[in-house]
Every structure is written in C-alpha cells, then in structure tokens.
Amino acid sequence: MLSHDRQEENEIFASNRAASRITLSVKAAAGVTRRARVHEQGALRLRFPGPPAPELEAVIVNTGGGMAGGDRFDLAMDVGPAAQLVATTAAAEKVYRTLGPDTAVGVKLAVAAGGALDWLPHETILFDRARLRRTIDVALAADARLLLAEAVVFGRSGMGEVVSEGLLFDRWRVRRNGRLIYAETVRLEGAVADKLKLAAVAKAGAAIATILLTPADDAAVAAVRALEGRFRGEVGLSVWNGMALVRLVAADGAALRHDLAAALAAIRGGALPRLWQN
C-alpha cells in the first residue's frame, strides 16, 4: 500500500500529464481538397499554410514543446473520396525521460475511395530513459493510396547524447477493404544502446526510419533505386504484393534526415511539404 506522501505525489504527477487530441476530416470539391471538420484538444493544433489546391497540406503543432511520461496524444485523420492530404509536423517531436509511465501516441488514419494520404511527420527524438508506446492503424479503400513514413532518432548525437535505456514500442497495422495487408511491431526495451549496436538491429546506428507505399508505383520505386550511392546511411528497398517498403538506418539524425528527404522526394516526384525544405 502506498504511503500518503507517495500517493499524493502520484496524483500531482498524473494531474500534470497532457491529454491531447486532434481530429481532421477532408473532402474534395471542384478539384480542391478542403477541411470538412477540425477538432483540437490540449496541446495539439492543426495549421494549413498552403492555398487551395488538389492536395491539402496539414501541419501538426505540439504547443507543449515535447512529450513526457504519462502524456497521451491521439491523432485521427479521415480523407474523403478523391481527396488528397499530406500531413506533417512543424518540427521534430521530442520524448523526454520518464520516471515510470510510458508516453502514449495513438494514430488512426482512414482513406476513402480514390483518396490519397501522405503521412510525413518529422523525426521523433527519444531522450535517455524515454518510454514511447505508439500505435498506427490505417484503413484504406480498395483504390486508396498511402505513403507512410516515420523516423526515430535515439538521442541528439551532436550534443553527445546517448539513449542507454528506455522503450520504443511501435505497432503498425494497415488494412485495405478491411483485410490486413501490412503489420509490424518494433520493440526495443532495456539496454537500448547495446541493442542498437547489433548488426541485425541498427549496426551501431542511432537513427532509423521506415517508409511504406501502397500501392507501389513502378516509377517511384525506380526513382528511389536510382539514388543508390548518394545515401549517407544504409537504405534497403523491398517490393511485394503491391507494396513498397524502404528501411533506413544512419549514424545520426542529420544523415537520416538527408536520406529520408531524398527518398520521399523521389517517391513524391520532387515535392515535399514546405517545412521539410527548411
């Protein structure tokens, strides 16, 4: 049984945790994608910097400046028939050290018939002893298009930071017409730095990323393969069952960002969200 002081401390800690949510739905009309519904709660905000266009750009802003243990962030985006949405973030997301509770992030994405969604947030930076538990669930119509990219950097190497211990739990599930077409779960826990040194994990790299494209476009796949020799880290590309998957690992966040931006630009035909060009 907890002491009165410890119980009071836990209650104070819980009351200061962030519970934030954003919900966005977009629709297409007269060749332009527009906002249909926007809901913001807590520290999360949505901004739309571009003019009306076939593809709407949405920027996710965390006004809290990062995430801490016990925080909960939920993001839901619904792309209507024939609508096109590219979602990014204003900056890299930081997940700070926790005294116990995990930081939880839940992402739910849906794309209707003829729609397209490019989910392109900046990298997530984990500090030493951070604990991040993230789930990404995607529901696609039969002919919907998805480009999904996520990057994780273990500490800011330029400042001499090393993530010695912590947790990264990252679960992805993608369904098309209700049928599961892609599933993966990454779990790094405990002595993270030691595990990253393993050749089968990151070969001593401190930054990783995954890009998923479905349906796989032959031109996009060829464009990524044409970049061989220009990457600063290691990049692998697989194509199967109408999907393309790109894995990236680099020594640090700067090298990973270079490679990730190059691969995404190749897939998108050169155009990246404005905030990726800074």
Side-chain angles (χ1 to χ4, degrees), residues 138-140 173-182 241 243:
V138 187
L140 302 173
R173 298 292 185 270
V174 181
R175 292 175 171 80
R176 189 178 292 280
N177 266 0
R179 183 176 67 87
L180 185 66
I181 62 169
Y182 183 80
N241 291 343
M243 293 181 289

Side-chain angles (χ1 to χ4, degrees), residues 103-258:
T103 299
V105 176
V107 179
K108 291 186 179 297
L109 309 172
V111 189
L117 171 63
D118 288 8
W119 178 261
L120 309 177
H122 291 286
E123 62 271 22
T124 297
I125 301 174
L126 299 183
F127 284 66
D128 189 29
R129 299 182 186 276
R131 295 183 61 85
L132 174 62
R133 189 175 295 273
R134 178 172 59 191
T135 60
I136 301 176
D137 291 286
V138 187
L140 302 173
D143 60 349
R145 177 185 178 276
L146 173 70
L147 173 60
L148 179 67
E150 284 284 358
V152 177
V153 177
F154 296 88
R156 298 173 297 182
S157 58
M159 302 181 70
E161 295 175 354
V162 175
V163 178
S164 298
E165 294 186 11
L167 167 69
L168 171 64
F169 177 87
D170 202 13
R171 177 185 179 275
W172 294 20
R173 298 292 185 270
V174 181
R175 292 175 171 80
R176 189 178 292 280
N177 266 0
R179 183 176 67 87
L180 185 66
I181 62 169
Y182 183 80
E184 77 166 47
T185 301
V186 173
R187 185 185 186 104
L188 283 172
E189 187 172 13
V192 172
D194 292 340
K195 293 176 181 178
L196 289 174
K197 292 176 183 178
L198 299 175
V201 180
K203 201 177 180 180
I208 59 174
T210 298
I211 303 171
L212 175 66
L213 175 65
T214 179
D217 179 89
D218 291 342
V221 170
V224 174
R225 284 179 170 154
L227 295 173
E228 186 177 0
R230 304 181 198 176
F231 293 120
R232 297 177 182 175
E234 293 193 34
V235 179
L237 171 65
S238 301
V239 182
W240 81 105
N241 291 343
M243 293 181 289
L245 188 74
V246 184
R247 302 282 196 188
L248 304 94
V249 62
D252 54 46
L256 180 74
R257 185 177 178 81
H258 170 273

Side-chain angles (χ1 to χ4, degrees), residues 6-101:
R6 182 63 183 276
Q7 183 175 351
E8 184 178 9
E9 179 183 320
N10 288 347
E11 290 174 354
I12 292 173
F13 181 86
S15 68
N16 283 283
R17 294 306 91 218
S20 303
R21 173 186 295 273
I22 55 172
T23 302
L24 170 66
S25 60
V26 300
K27 63 180 180 180
V32 173
T33 298
R34 302 182 185 275
R35 291 165 279 178
R37 179 175 180 268
V38 179
H39 172 77
E40 302 169 332
Q41 175 185 325
L44 290 177
R45 297 289 184 271
L46 281 167
R47 296 295 180 261
F48 304 89
E55 180 182 72
L56 178 67
E57 181 177 330
V59 179
I60 303 165
V61 180
N62 178 9
T63 62
M67 295 185 289
D71 288 353
R72 172 78 200 190
F73 284 57
D74 290 291
L75 305 94
M77 296 195 176
D78 192 339
V79 179
Q84 301 177 46
L85 175 67
V86 55
T88 187
T89 54
E93 188 61 86
K94 300 178 180 67
V95 183
Y96 298 110
R97 174 177 176 170
T98 176
L99 298 177

